Amino acid sequence: LDEAILAGKISPLVDAARDLTSNTSIRVTVIDSSGQVIVDTVAKPDAMDIHLDREEVREAFSSGWGSAMRRSASTGITTTYEALSVRLSDGTDAIVRVAMPLSAIDERRIALVFEVAFFGLCVTILVSILAIYLTRRISAPIKRIDAAARAFSSGSFETRIKEEGPREVASLATVLNRMALQLDERIRTTNEQASRLAGILNGMTEA
């Protein structure tokens, strides 16, 4: 930038600026210390007036950085401007100004809002699906445990609960299965002992 401005090689600057801003709504302007526009990617610099009275240019010359928003004199479009002061090797300053139509910023803002909303909707749907899956994954084993407990209470200890699902539920199923097995064995042992005792009593009665 420094060498091109001081050597008066403006054409390569224009080409570089246009390459950088192609397919965008961004406009780049380079202004020398006298306020003369020497590079602009939209309008012809020779047809543009002195820019020393532009708010963002004054601020940039004063503090190194300036910004403003107004209707552009060359395009008639409400535009936001950002200007940066660049010190050249000859001790003078030049301003590099970037401009973008406010409508383009609003469009991008709206698009961003839609993107965020769409992302939020996707997250909500995924969370809902996950919640349904987890609910079913937990509720199904609990229902099996409930059914088995009812069977146990009616004396049907042959029923076995599938030991699957969340770790806590699977552990509960394991405990209940062991208890059912132990109770079933005890009842069978008790019945066998009762049968033997009845046989002995019957034999004693007959004798």
Side-chain angles (χ1 to χ4, degrees):
L1 178 64
D2 183 287
E3 294 178 358
I5 292 176
L6 293 180
K9 299 178 180 180
I10 304 303
S11 181
L13 275 180
V14 175
D15 293 339
R18 286 176 176 167
D19 288 341
L20 288 173
T21 59
S22 61
N23 301 320
T24 71
S25 301
I26 298 174
R27 176 183 181 181
V28 175
T29 305
V30 179
I31 304 163
D32 65 17
S33 58
S34 67
Q36 179 65 49
V37 175
I38 56 178
V39 173
D40 193 273
T41 56
V42 174
K44 293 182 179 180
D46 294 342
M48 300 176 70
D49 56 8
I50 299 299
H51 275 44
L52 287 178
D53 61 338
R54 303 300 197 271
E55 180 182 354
E56 71 281 358
V57 175
R58 292 200 311 270
E59 289 182 0
F61 274 127
S62 175
S63 61
W65 183 273
S67 61
M69 185 175 66
R70 65 175 179 278
R71 184 179 297 274
S72 171
S74 55
T75 65
I77 300 172
T78 300
T79 305
T80 179
Y81 298 91
E82 299 292 335
L84 174 69
S85 176
V86 179
R87 177 59 56 90
L88 304 179
S89 58
D90 66 351
T92 61
D93 292 328
I95 301 297
V96 177
R97 187 183 68 178
V98 177
M100 179 179 288
L102 189 61
S103 58
I105 297 175
D106 289 339
E107 288 173 3
R108 180 54 188 159
R109 185 183 296 112
I110 293 171
L112 182 61
V113 169
F114 276 110
E115 289 174 7
V116 171
F118 179 72
F119 176 75
L121 178 61
C122 290
V123 170
T124 301
I125 292 174
L126 289 175
V127 169
S128 299
I129 293 173
L130 180 61
I132 293 171
Y133 168 74
L134 291 176
T135 299
R136 290 181 176 178
R137 187 167 180 265
I138 294 173
S139 63
I142 291 177
K143 289 180 180 179
R144 288 196 293 268
I145 290 174
D146 178 68
R150 294 177 184 274
F152 295 160
S153 65
S154 63
S156 177
F157 296 103
E158 296 81 9
T159 303
R160 292 293 177 268
I161 307 169
K162 291 183 179 180
E163 299 174 7
E164 59 185 19
R167 183 175 59 183
E168 295 79 5
V169 176
S171 298
L172 178 58
T174 301
V175 171
L176 290 176
N177 283 336
R178 288 177 182 174
M179 290 176 60
L181 178 61
Q182 292 172 359
L183 286 172
D184 189 42
E185 290 177 351
R186 290 179 183 178
I187 290 173
R188 287 182 182 181
T189 300
T190 301
N191 288 338
E192 289 175 0
Q193 290 175 351
S195 296
R196 289 177 186 176
L197 181 59
I200 294 172
L201 290 176
N202 287 334
M204 291 175 63
T205 302
E206 292 176 357

